Amino acid sequence: MPEFSIDRGRLFAILDDGQAAAAQSRGLNDEYEALREALHKLETGDLISRQTSRHNESAPQTARRIAATKAQMQRLQDRRAEAAEVINPKLALARRAREYAAARGLAEEVRGYVA
Amino acid sequence: MSPKPLSKRLADLRAAIAAAQADLAALPGRPLPAAEAVARFNQWADSQAQAFDARRQAAALCQPRADTTFSDLLSLTARDIRPHLSAADAGPLVCWLMGDTIKKKMAAEIEGLDLSDALPAASRGAELRRLTLELERLEIAEEVLIRQLEAAGEHVRRRDEARIDIVLAPDAELAGDTAAAA
């Protein structure tokens, strides 16, 4: 079985692609977390206002905002699931490339990629 | 006739890779040919018959002071040889008594099996090497094709188990290997 050498151009293209995929994944996760936090605040605010006299004035508006945030979260969740189909294989390939290159004496060069 | 589009060729190659992987995975479980299995059994039956050691037992019976009884002679447990075994071992006695009959009956059983994918023991190493090389040739061809598709602007997802050394290999080395394999 022949032993192939490593094409560094290909290696770093794959690692960069993996890095970009990881960043995209982080971005989507951060966006989702922000929405989740916003929803939590809205729901907490709604709960508090139910116990005050202002509840009747603010209730419809808050309910609309909660519904809109939930819908946004659902859309984002769909986007995340869709993106995962592209992101995960790129990440997996980059990780395998990093490990292979590290084992072939390029540990320093590939350190920090798709960690 | 126009050549197949690259994407169709890729699908065909991947089907061939899956088939080669399945062949490789099935290799250790492929049965021996009937003749080889029969010879194997016959050899075992002969060794069992020999283990009975009838000659020694007959000689012992001829001794004026008999210390071998008939029940010892036909004992199935062989406790004197293997005291740790509680199960009866009928092999030596039965094979000594009717080895040829047992061999014929077992040969008939073996020949009744479906052994269409049988592979002789001596050919297994060569077959393993052939299948491994075939799989590698296909994986190299797949990677070359993916690079052609990428060069044409198409995004192609690599298989999860694609060999990373092939994925990272320089074009020239893959081309050389493909040419050598052709």
Side-chain angles (χ1 to χ4, degrees):
Chain A
M1 216 181 269
E3 183 155 332
F4 300 108
S5 52
I6 294 178
D7 179 334
R8 288 183 183 226
R10 297 193 58 74
L11 170 66
F12 287 105
I14 287 170
L15 292 176
D16 288 341
D17 213 20
Q19 282 287 90
Q24 193 187 348
S25 175
R26 271 197 307 276
L28 286 169
N29 288 345
D30 290 350
E31 209 180 321
Y32 190 80
E33 277 308 304
L35 281 174
R36 210 162 61 90
E37 208 172 305
L39 179 66
H40 177 68
K41 278 184 186 162
L42 282 170
E43 286 177 335
T44 309
D46 185 49
L47 193 68
I48 293 167
S49 74
R50 281 175 194 278
Q51 297 159 359
T52 70
S53 56
R54 294 181 60 209
H55 175 62
N56 288 342
E57 300 160 25
S58 65
Q61 197 187 348
T62 308
R64 273 198 301 277
R65 286 177 65 193
I66 288 174
T69 308
K70 281 183 176 172
Q72 204 179 343
M73 281 175 78
Q74 186 53 56
R75 283 196 298 275
L76 188 59
Q77 185 68 339
D78 294 345
R79 265 176 61 207
R80 284 169 80 191
E82 212 174 287
E85 284 185 24
V86 179
I87 289 171
N88 292 346
K90 285 183 180 177
L91 265 177
L93 184 66
R95 286 188 176 130
R96 287 205 296 138
R98 183 197 60 203
E99 279 160 27
Y100 178 73
R104 295 279 304 269
L106 297 173
E108 276 307 310
E109 287 90 331
V110 299
R111 187 189 303 279
Y113 275 96
V114 285
Chain B
M1 202 165 68
S2 62
K4 281 185 199 170
L6 294 184
S7 54
K8 170 77 174 91
R9 278 171 55 198
L10 183 61
D12 290 349
L13 264 176
R14 285 183 166 172
I17 286 170
Q21 285 171 330
D23 286 348
L24 208 48
L27 183 61
R30 285 176 62 182
L32 294 170
E36 214 167 309
V38 168
R40 200 186 194 190
F41 180 76
N42 289 351
Q43 196 180 7
W44 176 82
D46 288 343
S47 72
Q48 288 288 296
Q50 211 171 359
F52 184 67
D53 202 359
R55 184 170 293 258
R56 184 181 66 82
Q57 307 221 37
L61 287 168
C62 292
Q63 294 302 310
R65 201 178 137 224
D67 50 8
T68 299
T69 65
F70 288 105
S71 64
D72 285 341
L73 177 66
L74 299 179
S75 167
L76 291 182
T77 56
R79 260 186 240 108
D80 53 333
I81 305 168
R82 285 172 288 183
H84 58 287
L85 284 185
S86 57
D89 181 5
L93 175 59
V94 172
C95 288
W96 173 68
L97 273 177
M98 42 182 161
D100 287 344
T101 307
I102 290 173
K103 285 178 191 173
K104 273 186 200 148
K105 285 183 81 72
M106 187 55 84
E109 288 293 335
I110 289 170
E111 277 150 18
L113 298 173
D114 173 15
L115 299 173
S116 48
D117 63 339
L119 185 67
S123 308
R124 280 168 193 255
E127 182 64 359
L128 175 64
R129 183 165 164 71
R130 187 190 71 75
L131 285 171
T132 306
L133 287 175
E134 171 65 1
L135 182 59
E136 177 168 85
R137 188 189 66 78
L138 290 167
E139 289 196 82
I140 290 171
E142 178 198 29
E143 179 59 27
V144 168
L145 202 53
I146 288 174
R147 291 182 192 183
Q148 287 174 10
L149 282 160
E150 284 174 340
E154 275 190 55
H155 170 73
V156 182
R157 183 180 159 175
R158 284 177 172 79
R159 287 175 300 111
D160 291 343
E161 76 277 16
R163 264 178 54 184
I164 197 69
D165 59 330
I166 293 177
V167 173
L168 293 175
D171 288 337
E173 288 181 25
L174 294 189
D177 213 78
T178 311

